[in-house]
Amino acid sequence: KTGVASTMEWRLVYPIRLIRVSFPLPWARLAIRSDHAIDRILAFLEIVTPRRKLSVSKLWRWLTNLSLTVLNIVLVRLIFGAVLLHTAITVQANGSGFLNYFELPYWLDFLAAIIFLDFMIYLQHLIAHALPIFWRFHLVHHTDLDFDVTTASRFHPLEIIVSLIFKIGLVMASGASPASVLVFEIILNGSAQF
């Protein structure tokens, strides 16, 4: 990562050529800040206006769930999350992916990418419930004794890795733009809180 404060410049080295793509830093900041803002607002509302009586102490649950979240962020999202963005930048620079075969207006390409990614993640979730090997990892999310904003962040690290690898494949296949990938992640993580 190099460049001025307003952009993130990624240099992707391939055997044939060097690709340089600048990506606006405000988009990356927006993704992170949106996720944190949604979490904070919902956590505050849960404390101020609880909807149900808890079976386990909120402090103990939040400590457990947020520990899993921190582990996932440190081990997985910081490593593979950057790869997801790199993939989107590379795919866009190379013009690969099925969305790039069509001459679509930017807004339609952007919307089609988000709809495609959302539908495929929905299918991934169905598979996580249907196949025993994936269910064993997904079960971590469903074994929370109470349901609140931290439940959405309670995932087994291996499930997060598999999900990110799947998303990387989806971005490569679709040719989703970096902006559509970031907006999709904001929507996915934000809506998971409800």
Side-chain angles (χ1 to χ4, degrees), residues 43 46-47 58-67 148 150:
E46 286 177 359
I47 291 168
K58 186 174 284 290
L59 177 65
W60 176 251
R61 284 188 54 261
W62 280 20
L63 182 64
T64 302
N65 292 352
L66 294 176
S67 295
D148 68 12
T150 65

Side-chain angles (χ1 to χ4, degrees), residues 18 47 65 90 115 120 130-132 162 167 174 177 185 191:
L18 175 70
I47 291 168
N65 292 352
T90 304
I115 291 169
M120 296 307 291
L131 296 178
V162 168
K167 286 181 200 175
S174 67
S177 70
E185 286 293 318
S191 63

Side-chain angles (χ1 to χ4, degrees), residues 87-115:
T87 303
I89 291 168
T90 304
V91 165
Q92 187 175 50
N94 292 333
S96 54
F98 68 81
L99 289 172
N100 290 310
Y101 291 122
F102 306 103
E103 295 284 330
L104 299 174
Y106 181 77
W107 68 269
L108 186 56
D109 180 78
F110 183 86
L111 186 61
I114 291 174
I115 291 169

